[in-house]
Amino acid sequence: MTTSSYASLARENRVKVLKNLAEAGVTTGVVYLAGMKTTERKWTDAEVAFRQESNFFYLTGATQPDLHLLVDISSQESYLFIPKFSDDHALWCGVPPTTSDMKSLYGVNHARTVDEIPDVLSSLQAANVHVLEQETEHGAIGTWQSKVDKTALSTAVIEARMRKSPGEVELMRKAAKISGDAHIALMKAVGTGKGSEREMHALFEYECFRQGGRFQAYTPIVASGRNGSVLHYVENSGPISTDKRDMLLVDAGCEYDCYAADITRTYPVGGKYEGDWKTTYEIVLDMQNAVLSALKPGVKWEDMHQLANKVAAEGLIKAGLVKGDVPTLLANHIPAIFFPHGLGHSIGLDVHDVGGYPKGVPRLTDPGIKYLRMRRTLEKGMAVTVEPGIYFVDAMLDKALADPEQVRYLNVDVVKRFQATVGGVRIEDDVIITEDGIDNLTGWIPKEVADVEKVMRG
Ligand SMILES: [Mn+2]
């Protein structure tokens, strides 16, 4: 049996986690993780498509259900445990793997069956069993449940997962490539009044799946026209607008080897950015370009959100949507009316990856930035999405227009004109922080006005 391509990365990841544990003073005992179990739709035997739990994948690379992992901390030896397969497993699911198959497939030191976990723990004379904070099921370790320790493992794993190795970056680049090609396929396929959001959603999944992107990293958002003003629009059930100036907002990305892409592009269904739609688009493009140019190690993520807010304020003034100077608009949270969500988040094995808020770091409370999914000082190897947006959300605008403190800064007629037609624009890329800047994994997917229009012309 050939070794899984992720086996060497998983070994590297285990070493990283053990190093983090050692730095936290943990040098004895064992690490225990339960993998994702087979799950069914409630009250049926219809199995849900299996996707490994991210921490378990990170430390094993294993893609089968119902596995368990032990790592002896002092010797660094790893033990993978497989289910006791029933006699008819081969009938329904093919010949099950043996322990020696699994040992060579995943490059672990030992492979056993799940009933042997307590015996292995006894042979290791484990002083304690380090488990993830959120893990509640420890049945498989039997009486060793009394030795469960939740103090150190979660942080050790999160801090390891936050900093991507070159091998992980290449898997993210592959997810980005497949997803980016799918975005381009949609740009080429869409046309005024042609087809539906559903067809565009289906085309995106088709393009990903046929290239090896079996799972979407999240439910795609495919929003035509005013639907783009609903931040997490997932119905994807409307027609494509018949107004050629209206835009399609597509926020979608697949997984590759469990690593996520999270990409948004917004473009006119008629193939040419025009009028208020183009004005809105260019504000977001400026916001994103400003942040992408500023990103590097040592930069605080919340400062990047504020930079996007500042560029938004400048653009909104220039567009005639708001009045006043930039500092006053920022002090009164006027950009947050149009940019009501966070700038972006960490990404990796999960689309909203672990580690946004280290222990003890609270969320900020101001409008907009309160939804920021991360407060960190950036370091080399961290992976983040940069996804500013400008939206004309009825709920936000109606509230601001009715608020005497806020309406003073709004040009009401202009705001209402945009609100009646433009939905929303978001542009989202996935970047890795490098020594002195970024490696933009998705920057090659057209987003400058001329580049998108060229692709759409075909
Ligand atoms: Mn995102």
Side-chain angles (χ1 to χ4, degrees):
M1 187 167 274
T2 53
T3 309
S4 140
S5 60
Y6 198 83
S8 64
L9 273 179
R11 193 176 311 118
E12 201 178 278
N13 297 339
R14 290 195 293 272
V15 170
K16 271 189 184 176
V17 169
L18 292 175
K19 185 166 169 280
N20 288 349
L21 281 173
E23 279 169 14
V26 177
T27 53
T28 59
V30 298
V31 166
Y32 167 70
L33 254 79
M36 188 73 187
K37 294 200 272 193
T38 302
T39 52
E40 288 105 23
R41 286 190 183 185
K42 199 169 181 180
W43 297 314
T44 81
D45 66 353
E47 280 181 19
V48 176
F50 182 77
R51 196 275 196 189
Q52 187 58 275
E53 187 275 321
S54 295
N55 294 304
F56 197 86
F57 183 80
Y58 185 72
L59 293 176
T60 63
T63 52
Q64 293 90 341
D66 308 311
L67 304 176
H68 301 255
L69 173 74
L70 288 182
V71 182
D72 180 38
I73 294 172
S74 54
S75 72
Q76 305 212 345
E77 294 212 344
S78 50
Y79 298 74
L80 191 62
F81 297 89
I82 71 172
K84 303 256 304 174
F85 294 104
S86 64
D87 291 342
D88 55 4
H89 186 278
L91 167 63
W92 298 105
C93 307
V95 178
T98 63
T99 50
S100 70
D101 289 340
M102 294 294 271
K103 182 170 177 289
S104 44
L105 185 55
Y106 296 116
V108 289
N109 300 104
H110 312 272
R112 305 274 172 82
T113 52
V114 64
D115 54 315
E116 296 179 83
I117 294 176
D119 290 346
V120 170
L121 284 167
S122 298
S123 73
L124 294 173
Q125 298 185 301
N128 40 30
V129 182
H130 293 274
V131 305
L132 296 171
E133 267 171 24
Q134 65 269 39
E135 185 61 78
T136 52
E137 292 196 29
H138 314 113
I141 64 175
T143 57
W144 291 83
Q145 290 178 73
S146 62
K147 308 256 190 206
V148 159
D149 184 333
K150 296 190 172 186
T151 56
L153 184 61
S154 289
T155 301
V157 173
I158 288 167
E159 295 303 320
R161 281 181 57 185
M162 277 296 289
R163 293 159 185 85
K164 273 69 177 176
S165 63
E168 292 185 278
V169 170
E170 288 322 302
L171 294 173
M172 292 184 68
R173 199 185 306 281
K174 177 82 175 173
K177 173 74 171 88
I178 296 171
S179 306
D181 285 344
H183 274 277
I184 291 170
L186 264 64
M187 287 178 192
K188 289 180 172 167
V190 77
T192 307
K194 201 174 92 181
S196 61
E197 294 169 347
R198 246 181 224 132
E199 284 173 52
M200 291 295 109
H201 178 155
L203 178 60
F204 191 89
E205 293 211 25
Y206 166 78
E207 290 292 339
C208 291
F209 199 168
R210 77 190 188 89
Q211 298 295 344
R214 166 76 178 79
F215 289 109
Q216 294 293 302
Y218 54 99
T219 306
I221 297 169
V222 183
S224 176
R226 286 284 299 150
N227 292 340
S229 70
V230 181
L231 297 184
H232 284 173
Y233 176 82
V234 290
E235 289 82 6
N236 304 342
S237 58
I240 298 296
S241 178
T242 53
D243 186 330
K244 68 181 170 56
R245 300 167 303 177
D246 274 349
M247 294 184 288
L248 186 71
L249 184 158
V250 181
D251 182 345
C254 71
E255 289 187 347
Y256 187 79
D257 257 1
C258 292
Y259 283 84
D262 184 1
I263 305 165
T264 310
R265 290 292 183 268
T266 310
Y267 39 90
V269 293
K272 194 171 181 325
Y273 291 95
E274 293 184 59
D276 295 341
W277 295 260
K278 185 176 186 178
T279 301
T280 309
Y281 188 79
E282 287 183 326
I283 297 172
V284 181
L285 201 54
D286 288 346
M287 291 161 76
Q288 208 216 21
N289 282 327
V291 171
L292 293 174
S293 306
L295 284 174
K296 61 180 178 186
V299 160
K300 282 199 180 102
W301 188 238
E302 63 231 54
D303 291 347
M304 294 294 97
H305 181 94
Q306 299 298 20
L307 173 60
N309 258 335
K310 179 176 151 282
V311 178
E314 292 164 356
L316 293 165
I317 294 169
K318 196 160 153 244
L321 282 155
V322 303
K323 52 197 171 189
D325 56 59
V326 170
T328 310
L329 293 172
L330 289 172
N332 288 278
H333 310 300
I334 302 303
I337 300 167
F338 305 91
F339 173 39
H341 62 72
L343 175 66
H345 47 83
S346 71
I347 179 169
L349 283 170
D350 290 303
V351 61
H352 296 152
D353 212 34
V354 292
Y357 286 80
K359 280 212 171 83
V361 176
R363 283 203 178 234
L364 297 164
T365 53
D366 279 342
I369 204 166
K370 69 182 176 185
Y371 298 117
L372 198 61
R373 289 181 185 270
M374 183 168 89
R375 278 187 80 190
R376 285 257 185 185
T377 300
L378 298 175
E379 291 173 36
K380 186 184 165 200
M382 288 183 177
V384 293
T385 68
V386 182
E387 51 175 312
I390 293 286
Y391 313 84
F392 298 91
V393 184
D394 288 335
M396 296 296 294
L397 294 175
D398 293 348
K399 199 166 145 235
L401 290 166
D403 180 338
E405 287 304 309
Q406 292 200 305
V407 75
R408 296 192 285 150
Y409 302 104
L410 303 176
N411 284 319
V412 176
D413 290 350
V414 182
V415 168
K416 287 192 167 166
R417 190 180 82 216
F418 276 70
Q419 186 183 359
T421 52
V422 181
V425 171
R426 179 164 60 255
I427 307 172
E428 177 174 29
D429 282 319
D430 303 341
V431 310
I432 309 294
I433 306 299
T434 61
E435 202 81 59
D436 54 1
I438 55 167
D439 176 0
N440 189 340
L441 304 180
T442 55
W444 57 275
I445 307 161
K447 61 182 174 178
E448 294 295 332
V449 167
D451 295 341
V452 176
E453 290 179 352
K454 185 162 173 253
V455 166
M456 294 186 76
R457 271 199 306 274

